[in-house]
Amino acid sequence: MDVFSFKGVKHPLVNRESALLQVIEAFQASHLCDEQGFSGVQRPHVSIAPQMYGSGKSTFGQNFQTFVSMNKEFLLHYLGKMGLPGIAEGDNIGERSLDALLNETLYVVLNLLDVPDGNRFQTTLFEWISREALAQFPNGADLLSQVLSCIGSSKEWFQKLLQVTKKRYLYLFIDEIEALEGDKFTMFKDLMVTRRATRVHNVYCSFFGVLSTILRQPFVICVLAGGSDAVVTSQRDALTSPVMLSFLRLDPFSEATIKYFIQNTTYNNEPVLKVLFPSHPEGHDWFFKQVYDYTGGVPYYVVHVLNELGKRCESWNSFCDLSEDEMKEKMEKIAPNLVVTLSRMTPESMIVFSSMLLASIFEFRIPKREILFGGLGSYPEYVLDIANYLGFYYVSCSRNEQDEASRTPFGFRKETFFKLVFPKIVLKHIQSRYRNIPPVRFVCSLFSSISRLDSLSSRGFKFEIIFTLILYVRWCFCSKLGELSIFRHSFVEHISIESAKTIGILKVDPIPNYVPAFSSTVSRIHSANGATYHVTAWKPFFEKYLSKDGIFVPIRQNSNGPDVLIRVTDMKDNSFLAIQGESSSEQTPMETETTKKRVYLIGAALKCFQLSSSGVGRSMIKAEVAKFLHPVASQLELMQNNLRAIQLIVSDKYTEDVSRQFRNNQNWILNSGVYYEDNNNNIVYSSINSEIQPQNIREEWLWIPPHCQVVVCSTTSLRTFLGCKTSRDIESVFGDNPGWLEQLKPLSDLLSNSFVDLLRRISFEESERNSGRMERRNTRPRMDMNVMQVEDTRGESTISVASSVQVSFDWMNFLKVYCHLTEEESTQCYECLCKFSERDMGVIDSNILEQMGIDDSLLRVKVVAGMRNYIKDRQST
């Protein structure tokens, strides 16, 4: 086993069998050979590893011969079917080809950071290769003189190089190709020549032109490596250059590989597991999983984390044998010692970065045939190039999960797919830089908290994240909860959101906290996924995790409790007395008798885009109430602590016996009391203290404890909350076998809308403040303009999902009076406009209306014209 050193750590060389095979396949594709092994002229294939720093590119390229030795049996079998170029067909072709790789190949490794001085790159490159190759020989100086005498002709030079060394092949590994963009390479005149019809100079195009003079010679195996965004240009230019780039997969380590890696790693010549866990030198499975989750499997960061933990064990003897929770805390304090990612992002790049983080969380699969990023904005770049630029790694994978394998089209079974990986160790380092940007803040915080070990690809989980993202971003900009349609007519509709802390003058709360999940079967367990709580543990859970206002999401999806938890405090000492009876949704404001602030605990059960049945019915509502309201009411002493609890049920589909309860498409509000089903399957209400049972009832359906409420969100309220276009996009995301861009585009649009809404509010609220007509709270959103590099977006035709809704504005009357629409047309447009306020009219145009779901162009013209007339009338008065 080959061992490599990194400071105090010595680690094994992990086999890269698949990458080795790729290089050999690319070499074979470069040459069409006859039966005698003679090659015809063909476009040479170059294997390129464009991954980010730390993925193992240099290790692979520098140790290619070692990887050949490690995989002799595998290669013997593979080469026995089709030998290497230059090897005549016949008996033992596999043995002869393998022997040529091991004993008849000249191995040369170059790093462009160390390029020698010169005037012409081609001459310098030939000399450099010659010196590095012949330095391996005792009589290297004499051989070098012979080779350099032929340097005027690339063909004669190469033939001479192989002749004097008695080799058949040249293996050429060139590292750090991104150095080509540095000032040092401007000294080479032949790299400064424009080679394309556009006359636009590009150093990569010139580089490939020079490199091709070597690669056309028989026979050269070439591997290139360059991190960051260097391949953005090189890959695009290679399409018209003399070489063909073959993408080299160097996946991050899997969890199993990390376990093997750590088990065979030493720190200061002691097994690292014995250093970390003297009492358990075999290690813990949870430790291997923690390293995998924190580093993303990126080799460099795996070694870095082990080295840092080893150093801390040397300093603090008490650090040894930490528990799972203690080790996780220590590990997450380790910062990366090198971060190759964006330090300054524009709003546009933030949207793309956040979208790709979500794609990583959801494990979206990128097919090789869809690597163009054109589906997002106007980008023509490759997805993986942008991933490099933003600091992502990627891992090859199959197209589908196991449960979807049967639906995979036959033609795509062998297609290459990728999943994005972003190391948490890096994200923790950079996310504080963008803490003041709510959409990015949410996604980064989510990514840091959710374990990659969970099954994150279910439709329910994806919707939960999208829903919470929308809730979080809009919560940051609304004045009271009634502006969010899902809370209409509930206890909390009129509660003002004024309790959030501010950073500067930007409102950033509620902090999207991530809390342990609930379980009905275990009281508390330790696992790599975090603590799991029994459903009867609400009191300590509430005191520990829900001690302040905010939005809380369980970090595991197998929770027996709510999908989202919300705590909000009524800061105005107002409560609402629920009037029990037939019209149980009616509420009357009433001053509280106590000065104690009333706290509302909301548990949201999200049952969207995941049901194959007819939808959420009464039995499911009853089950959700039993999981949340009943244990909360029995354990938290609601009245004594001035608490109110709300069970929020959200679904895109309900059974008929629930749907008919939505009067005028509004939410169905169920207040404290006992609800029965009568003989006609209708719901009959009875006061919780009533001694008289209703007549003609079949059975008790639902018991809602005192100081509690159930809010069943109507599909209309859900669409209003999401927006028409977002609702349609989500449906496409959750369709059967959606494409990569079909999934990513809605996420990008969602984040884009949040940013546009944020930027538009800045300019609007500033003008309102200056004119003295500011009706909202005194704190207003603000962005760090130096970081954001914000441009004026008011003139752009981009949809902005408004959050601060003036509910007093009568959109229906406006549509009929100013736009002259029929009742049916007004109703259609109302669903799209009701989330906007009157003051948004100045920025709404035809494109925004189309994105919001108004497809009829004539209808859009009428609405825009009506808005312009309305604004003129207001200005004249």
Side-chain angles (χ1 to χ4, degrees), residues 743-771:
Q743 297 179 98
L744 189 60
K745 184 66 163 61
L747 299 182
S748 177
D749 287 346
L750 174 62
L751 290 161
S752 178
N753 297 344
S754 300
F755 273 95
V756 172
D757 181 56
L758 179 61
L759 297 175
R760 183 174 54 77
R761 274 179 203 290
I762 293 171
S763 57
F764 174 80
E765 295 192 6
E766 182 64 31
S767 64
E768 290 286 274
R769 185 181 301 279
N770 293 337
S771 65

Side-chain angles (χ1 to χ4, degrees), residues 96-113:
R96 288 182 286 123
S97 296
L98 180 59
D99 182 70
L101 284 175
L102 289 171
N103 303 310
E104 299 181 68
T105 301
L106 195 60
Y107 287 89
V108 175
V109 174
L110 305 179
N111 188 317
L112 290 188
L113 294 175

Side-chain angles (χ1 to χ4, degrees), residues 65 122 189 253 355 392 458 500 520 566 615 632 664 682 685 793 795 807 822 841 855:
Q65 188 174 15
Q122 178 170 314
K189 296 179 180 178
F253 292 161
S355 301
F392 285 85
S458 70
S520 59
I566 300 166
V632 164
N664 300 319
N682 295 317
Y685 169 80
T793 60
V807 295
T822 64
M841 286 189 183
D855 299 323

